[in-house]
Amino acid sequence: MSEIETVFPLKWNIDGVSVPVCTAFLIDCFGCPSPMGFKRVLIANRGEIALRILRTLRDMGIEAAIIHGREDRLSLPVQMADIAYPNYRANPLDSYLDIEAVVQAAKELECDAVHPGYGFLAENAAFVARLEEEGITFIGPASGVITLLGDKIEARAAMEAAGLPTAKGSSEPIASADVASALADEIGYPVIIKAAAGGGGIGMQIVGKADEFESALKLCQSRAKSAFGDERVFVEKYIQGAQHVEFQVLADGKNAIHFGERFCSIQRRHQKLVEEGPWLTDEKRAEIGELVCKGAESVGYKGLATFEFLRDANGDFYFLEVNPRVQVEHTVTELITGHNLVELGVRVAQGEALPLKQEDIKWRGHAIQCRLNAEDPREFVPSPGRLWECHFPSGFGIRCDTHAHPGYEMPGCFDSLLAKLLVWGRDREDAVRRMKTALDETMITGVEHLIPLHRRIMDEEDFNNGDITIQYIDMHQELLG
Ligand code: ADP
């Protein structure tokens, strides 16, 4: 008998479920079986995503607290938050990465929950476990689910068991070149060696023949060890001419729905530059959508998730990984479905059951997002500094998510994302035209940025024909000016 049952042994039957009288009383008091909403949420992030989350918390009548470093003390999300909690550190990253400091802030500020955004502690199972210990809600999945999905070997196995298609590969870590080459003989060259704990494309090695294994394996293991503290690697079939397609999912711990796909093949160093959607036929969307929902349900997923796939030239899908958090490009899906994904993520974290059914999700028109990073558009070297002038476009079908403003000092110690410029159009052609108009209207002086590159991409023939693979930037070096 649980503690609550000892104190309140009497049970009522509500909708066929036996609940202690004390809980039944609460349900009666608040009119619905969902727990009370959050009063105050701590945003454990910075930049555009901190502002994005803050706006939604405000829409929902939830107080927004934020923890921040010295570099961000004058930033928009810090100025706009209801409460700001300075956490100044010698290494600026520690302001956002120190688990105990963030937990302490959440406790001191009496926050009901923490929103991690993306990056920093968003996929850190130890952080989530600490919040669970303190009885503070993490807006995202449980620590055990993050641990499972953070291990690519485990995640591959779990999703394969749920019926998702995966590329042929090893189901266990590979430690020797002999084992690797025996496996490669079986699945066929080329293959790719990847870190089990991988992220950000770090350490991946493509192997075309057996004698390359010895050095490629060592390199991948040592990079994995220094980047993730875990040298386990595995081998997978290398998908030639692949496209990157990912599915947006929302789950409440029991059931999952999907919001369709985003196409994100235009990447530099395995990081996305342009994202758009929709990309697939209705039939394919329904087919893969059903699979990803099954995958999320099979691990008891709660919150927003993105299921990433490679799609080969035959149109076959191969599961890559699950990103257990809100993604930079969730905005594309918001424009074509009309649903506020951040709000939905907060609602399921509050304990609500999915407020939408799969049939409620409809797709309309086409959306494109260009990442306006403060980087030079040739080598992608970060370009920190003060924005002397900065004007972002608006108008019909345009959205710009940014924390930047004239006078903003773009720090060099964090990610270089300055703004996300999005457009919506009736169809892809309409959206591309609108993106050109929007890029022309954007003015940023003081730092280098990617607008010249995005302008060239919007004019490029293969892009306009949709003839795009993950090698797009490599194959179009002329775009780098
Ligand atoms: P990470 O978590 O490090 O970002 P992912 O597994 O998500 O790694 O892969 C990132 C990118 O690496 C993919 O978008 C793709 O460009 C490339 N990649 C990964 N696995 C394969 C594969 N099996 N075949 C071809 N390219 C791959």
Side-chain angles (χ1 to χ4, degrees):
M1 204 184 259
S2 72
E3 202 174 313
I4 208 161
E5 284 169 323
T6 324
V7 184
F8 298 94
L10 187 58
K11 293 199 176 172
W12 285 355
N13 191 297
I14 294 182
D15 290 342
V17 179
S18 173
V19 289
V21 167
C22 60
T23 323
F25 174 69
L26 288 177
I27 292 168
D28 204 30
C29 284
F30 300 113
C32 74
S34 62
M36 275 189 296
F38 299 139
K39 188 172 168 296
R40 183 178 297 153
V41 168
L42 178 70
I43 301 170
N45 215 303
R46 60 176 302 282
E48 71 85 21
I49 195 64
L51 196 53
R52 164 77 191 85
I53 296 163
L54 185 145
R55 285 173 173 146
T56 285
L57 293 177
R58 198 146 286 171
D59 285 351
M60 297 176 78
I62 300 171
E63 285 176 18
I66 192 165
I67 180 166
H68 66 92
R70 184 181 286 104
E71 298 68 23
D72 290 320
R73 68 195 184 285
L74 302 175
S75 72
L76 287 181
V78 172
Q79 290 188 56
M80 288 182 185
D82 296 298
I83 313 169
Y85 185 101
N87 181 31
Y88 299 169
R89 307 294 285 269
N91 176 355
L93 292 175
D94 288 342
S95 300
Y96 300 94
L97 283 174
D98 182 335
I99 292 179
E100 284 314 315
V102 179
V103 171
Q104 186 59 28
K107 283 168 70 177
E108 268 179 42
L109 301 178
E110 296 178 0
C111 295
D112 307 303
V114 174
H115 201 308
Y118 51 69
F120 297 124
L121 297 174
E123 297 172 51
N124 188 312
F127 172 60
V128 181
R130 277 293 290 120
L131 290 177
E132 286 166 356
E133 267 170 40
E134 298 288 347
I136 299 167
T137 304
F138 174 73
I139 301 181
S143 58
V145 176
I146 292 188
T147 304
L148 170 77
L149 297 176
D151 183 324
K152 286 187 196 234
I153 301 175
E154 297 277 329
R156 253 174 70 98
M159 291 307 142
E160 213 172 281
L164 272 70
T166 53
K168 284 184 195 155
S170 50
S171 50
E172 278 170 14
I174 295 273
S176 85
D178 288 346
V179 177
S181 69
L183 185 70
D185 284 341
E186 210 178 295
I187 62 182
Y189 288 94
V191 297
I192 184 165
I193 311 178
K194 307 205 300 195
I202 295 170
M204 287 180 196
Q205 301 292 316
I206 301 165
V207 175
K209 47 186 186 338
D211 62 8
E212 292 169 11
F213 266 120
E214 198 73 51
S215 63
L217 202 61
K218 279 206 185 101
L219 197 61
C220 189
Q221 282 169 331
S222 75
R223 295 228 169 119
K225 175 109 181 122
S226 60
F228 315 113
D230 177 350
E231 64 170 11
R232 289 173 311 128
V233 301
F234 67 106
V235 169
E236 177 175 279
K237 175 88 187 144
Y238 181 76
I239 312 297
Q240 309 260 25
Q243 298 189 328
H244 177 112
V245 178
E246 58 185 34
F247 269 72
Q248 177 67 57
V249 170
L250 173 75
D252 62 8
K254 287 198 184 90
N255 300 306
I257 53 172
H258 73 89
F259 292 75
E261 77 284 3
R262 295 182 288 259
F263 180 70
C264 316
S265 296
I266 301 190
Q267 307 176 351
R268 59 111 174 75
R269 290 185 221 115
H270 303 303
Q271 285 175 357
K272 298 155 192 164
L273 292 172
V274 180
E275 298 106 336
E276 61 179 301
W279 194 256
L280 304 172
T281 60
D282 292 347
E283 293 72 34
K284 200 71 189 170
R285 176 176 315 114
E287 178 196 327
I288 306 289
E290 201 181 319
L291 289 175
V292 294
C293 290
K294 280 197 186 126
E297 287 165 2
S298 74
V299 295
Y301 197 91
K302 188 173 185 175
L304 293 171
T306 298
F307 282 64
E308 295 193 328
F309 294 89
L310 289 179
R311 180 189 186 226
D312 72 11
N314 299 323
D316 290 329
F317 278 70
Y318 303 93
F319 167 78
L320 273 184
E321 64 170 338
V322 181
N323 284 321
R325 54 173 164 81
V326 66
Q327 270 192 310
V328 177
E329 62 272 24
H330 74 280
T331 34
V332 167
T333 304
E334 292 185 329
L335 287 194
I336 50 177
T337 63
H339 292 288
N340 182 340
L341 294 172
V342 171
E343 179 186 330
L344 290 168
V346 172
R347 287 177 64 181
V348 298
Q350 283 180 161
E352 283 185 52
L354 285 181
L356 296 160
K357 294 197 188 65
Q358 189 60 56
E359 314 82 86
D360 299 330
I361 315 301
K362 305 266 186 277
W363 294 269
R364 204 173 141 258
H366 195 96
I368 305 178
Q369 170 167 287
C370 287
R371 295 194 189 190
L372 305 186
N373 294 357
E375 289 172 11
D376 86 84
R378 296 164 296 278
E379 307 272 335
F380 304 111
V381 176
S383 172
R386 171 154 309 200
L387 304 185
W388 292 107
E389 204 180 359
C390 142
H391 167 81
F392 292 104
S394 55
F396 181 79
I398 294 177
R399 167 175 174 178
C400 188
D401 277 23
T402 183
H403 57 296
H405 55 84
Y408 176 64
E409 185 77 39
M410 181 76 192
C413 48
F414 299 116
D415 190 84
S416 59
L417 186 61
L418 190 60
K420 305 189 305 204
L421 179 57
L422 289 118
V423 296
W424 179 90
R426 282 184 306 278
D427 51 30
R428 187 166 190 258
E429 232 174 82
D430 192 37
V432 172
R433 272 198 303 267
R434 185 157 299 126
M435 182 56 88
K436 290 188 206 177
T437 308
L439 286 166
D440 284 348
E441 193 185 321
T442 311
M443 284 187 288
I444 302 172
T445 58
V447 297
E448 288 207 83
H449 50 73
L450 298 186
I451 292 176
L453 171 64
H454 287 304
R455 277 213 184 103
R456 289 185 206 119
I457 293 174
M458 294 301 131
D459 281 332
E460 198 278 320
E461 201 180 326
D462 287 341
F463 173 78
N464 280 282
N465 291 334
D467 197 357
I468 306 164
T469 69
I470 50 178
Q471 269 85 41
Y472 178 85
I473 293 289
D474 292 339
M475 288 166 66
H476 290 283
Q477 289 290 305
E478 76 281 1
L479 298 173
L480 305 180

